[in-house]
Amino acid sequence: MTLFLKHFFADESGATVIEYGLIAALVAIAIINVLVSVGSELVTTFNTILGAF
């Protein structure tokens, strides 16, 4: 039982999965923010082009 508990507390694979999940979430948030920013700029650009005609 003692060996099992030592091995259980030494295992960090669960923490690694959580860290990768957090990194993936932050990357997804950054990508969404960039797409929203670029999207609004594209709408402005197309509206300017349409206004020229």
Side-chain angles (χ1 to χ4, degrees):
M1 183 68 172
T2 306
L3 182 61
F4 171 75
L5 288 176
K6 285 182 182 178
H7 182 67
F8 180 75
F9 286 118
D11 186 15
E12 295 182 0
S13 61
T16 304
V17 171
I18 292 172
E19 290 170 355
Y20 283 135
L22 289 173
I23 291 170
L26 290 174
V27 168
I29 290 171
I31 290 172
I32 290 170
N33 285 333
V34 167
L35 291 177
V36 167
S37 174
V38 170
S40 63
E41 290 179 18
L42 280 176
V43 168
T44 304
T45 302
F46 285 130
N47 285 334
T48 303
I49 293 170
L50 284 174
F53 288 108

